[in-house]
Amino acid sequence: MTLGLDELLKNADYIILLLFRVGGLVVTSPIFGRVNIPRTAKICFTVSLTYLFLTVFPQTEPIVYTSLLGFLLICAGELVLGMALSYVTNIFFALTAFTAGQLIDMQIGFGIVNVYDIQNNMQAPVMGNVLNMLLLIVFFAIDGHHKLIEMVYLTIRALPIGTPVISPRLGLVALDVFKRAFLLGVMMALPLLASGLTLEIAFGLMMRAVPQIHMFVVGIPLKMFVGMLVFAATLPIYTNFTSRVFEEMYNGIERIFAVFTGG
């Protein structure tokens, strides 16, 4: 379906609302809206997706509003819906990886070392940055970015443009999603936490048997070595665990979307 200029101008309000919904997800997403992606590329991608969805979901009914303020409120609702979906992806990519990374770093002796995370504009744990990159690689490998675009398509089909209503339950659902992402982060760190605890017990027994051993000299390098060895050995487990993370992420997106549909 090809849309002419006259038809685009006639449906300008509908196109603007659609642009807000798509842009809310794309611009703030940790996948499509990364800081190192040029703004021109983000804008072109948002406009292209908007045009694609416009051809699939042409305007069938006029957008009802009585004033400019009313239209701006509808725009805000569309923007919040897109950003809410993006919030879920941000939480699972950042919180899950960085929570696990912080726990792992504290356990293996990297706690005093941080790297700059350009995406979130903050200092991030070393292992958290590694796990975050691992999540991104697996996400693109399984075509997760296609799944995100498909979910935008499903939201437009289930909730037509111009109809989102912000519910007070949005905050509670977002908090529950935050809690689930935090628990997944702790679960990701469990293999390293278990190995670290076992090593601490071994150090305690060794100090009781041979008090002359300087554990600060021997212990810290040994904890780093064992920690990296265990991480390398459990890397396939982390890769498989990402499917659980993405499953919870998609469930969180569906729950957030259900708030806007009154479900």
Side-chain angles (χ1 to χ4, degrees), residues 116-242:
Y116 180 69
D117 178 31
I118 188 174
Q119 174 64 22
N120 298 290
N121 192 28
M122 67 178 196
Q123 296 292 323
V126 176
M127 297 305 297
N129 202 45
V130 173
L131 291 174
N132 191 26
M133 293 302 297
L134 177 65
L135 284 175
L136 278 173
I137 292 172
V138 176
F139 187 78
F140 281 107
I142 63 175
D143 291 332
H145 51 300
H146 295 166
K147 179 70 174 179
L148 277 183
I149 296 176
E150 179 186 357
M151 298 198 80
V152 177
Y153 165 82
L154 294 176
T155 65
I156 299 175
R157 188 175 69 177
L159 190 63
I161 298 297
T163 58
V165 177
I166 302 176
S167 170
R169 293 195 307 114
L170 180 61
L172 295 176
V173 175
L175 183 62
D176 186 66
V177 171
F178 181 92
K179 178 191 71 175
R180 290 175 180 271
F182 181 81
L183 290 177
L184 285 175
V186 175
M187 292 172 64
M188 289 184 72
L190 282 179
L192 272 297
L193 292 179
S195 65
L197 179 60
T198 303
L199 201 59
E200 291 288 350
I201 296 174
F203 284 159
L205 295 176
M206 191 180 301
M207 289 184 66
R208 295 285 293 180
V210 188
Q212 292 81 8
I213 294 180
H214 198 302
M215 295 311 299
F216 286 102
V217 176
V218 178
I220 294 178
L222 187 60
K223 286 178 67 175
M224 290 183 180
F225 175 76
V226 172
M228 296 306 298
L229 191 64
V230 173
F231 179 77
T234 55
L235 193 58
I237 299 176
Y238 284 118
T239 305
N240 293 331
F241 187 75
T242 55

Side-chain angles (χ1 to χ4, degrees), residues 8 10-20 50 53-54 56-63 65 71 156 160-162:
L8 292 176
K10 179 181 177 182
N11 301 325
D13 53 353
Y14 179 81
I15 296 173
I16 292 174
L17 294 176
L18 181 58
L19 189 65
F20 268 100
T50 302
F53 289 133
L54 183 63
V56 178
F57 299 102
Q59 184 176 7
T60 56
E61 297 181 2
I63 305 298
Y65 55 92
F71 180 71
I156 299 175
I161 298 297

